[in-house]
Amino acid sequence: MKPSIIVHGGAWSIPDAAVAACRAGCQAALAVAWPILERGGSSLDAVEAAIVSLEEHPEFDAGIGSHLNAAGRVALDAILMEGQTLKAGAVAVVERIRNPIRLARKILQSSEHLMLVGAGAEKFAVEQGMALCDPEELITARERRAWQQCSVHGHRDEFHFSPGTPGSPSSVATGTVGAVAMDSQGRIVAGTSTGGTCCKRPGRVGDSPLIGCGCYADEQAGGISCTGWGEAIMKVVLAKTAADLLRAGYESTGEPEGAAFRAAQKSIEILAVRTQGTGGLILLDRAGRVGFAHSTPRMAYGYVAPDGSFITSV
Ligand code: GLY
């Protein structure tokens, strides 16, 4: 089968000045992941590689560059899910894991559990041979400054922009990240990674690492990664909702062109109508065709077109 991949770097009101950095981050993720698929590698490897690249990009709200919680600490969530087996590995509220998507994979492949959180997750990481990082490694000057301002004045989005230039950051301020890939054997994998919301209460977990909320993969339907306001996304189990719409589309109309986009759009409409929440999602249907939608002003995303060219946009 022809492989396919789509990635995202978050759905939010991305300012003009951040567009180039967001596109570059998505381009870099495709550049590491697509060769894996091209040479016959697995979708699991490709999605992990794409998300590690996005986590390492300091502009996104995942891994390095994540928002700080109310206690001034980074607390990370991530998930990987396989469409063939319905196995998933998820991690939440870890503070010393530089690339939580790598730990999610360890949980998927080497744990009897689906999700580990906090100190237990970090202990499992060490048992699996992963190094713990210094929590300071994950904190950028931009996010430290934003947290200090939010601590004094209460949370405001503009504090994550450059001081003195509201709406015009020197670099990208936020963005949960994710990827969905199908390999040459038709195996679909989806993954999502996030630092969560700025100034969140310590212990808060959003949609991202929750199976069916921030991520879902089922080879009978497709794979989905979500981004946006977690407290709304969880209410409609957004990724599973999109998977169900993909499946229903196959059952009623076969595999028409545009079905992936319709499922993505309908899912975002359900999010808006039922919760008044905003967000976005990317998906591949079970044939590997891309779809995406968002109700935020912008979403950063990238995918590989049928001719092999990289399409990125914000
Ligand atoms: N969607 C990311 C979060 O709410 O944590």
Side-chain angles (χ1 to χ4, degrees):
M1 292 188 78
K2 194 168 170 46
S4 181
I5 186 165
I6 183 165
V7 303
H8 73 81
W12 61 293
S13 49
I14 301 168
D16 290 346
V19 166
C22 281
R23 288 186 70 167
C26 291
Q27 179 88 13
L30 293 175
V32 296
W34 181 240
I36 295 170
L37 296 169
E38 268 193 312
R39 62 174 179 261
S42 73
S43 46
L44 201 56
D45 285 345
V47 168
E48 182 186 21
I51 294 181
V52 166
S53 173
L54 293 159
E55 288 173 341
E56 289 290 313
H57 211 287
E59 286 80 6
F60 297 123
D61 177 27
I64 295 165
S66 290
H67 295 321
L68 276 58
N69 65 16
R73 303 175 74 89
V74 164
L76 301 174
D77 308 331
I79 183 170
L80 260 185
M81 183 168 183
E82 289 181 328
Q84 201 177 22
T85 60
L86 299 181
K87 282 170 72 176
V91 58
V93 203
V94 289
E95 298 186 351
R96 296 184 295 167
I97 304 293
R98 184 175 170 116
N99 296 113
I101 200 70
R102 289 200 198 281
L103 179 54
R105 181 171 180 166
K106 296 273 190 202
I107 293 167
L108 189 158
Q109 293 187 311
S110 306
S111 167
E112 69 274 37
H113 303 302
L114 192 149
M115 185 176 206
L116 294 174
V117 307
E122 292 181 359
K123 184 168 184 291
F124 178 76
V126 172
E127 288 168 11
Q128 292 294 311
M130 289 181 71
L132 299 181
C133 71
D134 179 346
E136 290 294 318
E137 250 178 61
L138 303 169
I139 301 176
T140 59
R142 177 198 69 217
E143 290 303 320
R144 173 75 73 200
R145 186 176 58 238
W147 175 79
Q148 284 165 345
Q149 290 176 295
C150 292
S151 301
V152 174
H153 303 289
H155 171 73
R156 278 189 236 153
D157 286 345
E158 64 261 33
F159 291 152
H160 296 266
F161 300 168
S162 296
T165 53
S168 178
S170 58
S171 60
V172 180
T174 190
T176 291
V177 305
V180 186
M182 189 176 79
D183 61 28
S184 56
Q185 295 182 45
R187 296 172 299 195
I188 293 176
V189 168
T192 304
S193 181
T194 191
T197 50
C198 173
C199 303
K200 64 187 178 184
R201 183 178 288 273
R204 180 261 188 192
V205 177
D207 62 296
S208 299
L210 302 184
I211 191 167
C213 294
C215 179
Y216 201 71
D218 179 349
E219 66 176 6
Q220 296 179 1
I224 301 100
S225 174
C226 303
T227 165
W229 183 24
E231 277 69 12
I233 290 171
M234 287 186 275
K235 288 179 182 168
V236 295
V237 197
L238 186 61
K240 182 62 161 61
T241 294
D244 289 345
L245 288 166
L246 284 171
R247 191 194 313 272
Y250 284 116
E251 284 168 3
S252 62
T253 56
E255 299 185 358
E257 281 300 319
F261 277 99
R262 282 195 294 280
Q265 191 59 47
K266 181 70 183 166
S267 304
I268 292 299
E269 280 169 26
I270 291 169
L271 177 71
V273 170
R274 297 291 288 123
T275 75
Q276 288 74 55
T278 57
L281 61 80
I282 57 168
L283 60 79
L284 294 182
D285 70 11
R286 67 183 185 187
R289 291 177 298 200
V290 305
F292 52 85
H294 56 98
S295 55
T296 48
R298 282 174 162 159
M299 180 169 76
Y301 62 91
Y303 60 94
V304 179
D307 68 359
S309 60
F310 290 2
I311 311 290
T312 59
S313 189
V314 172

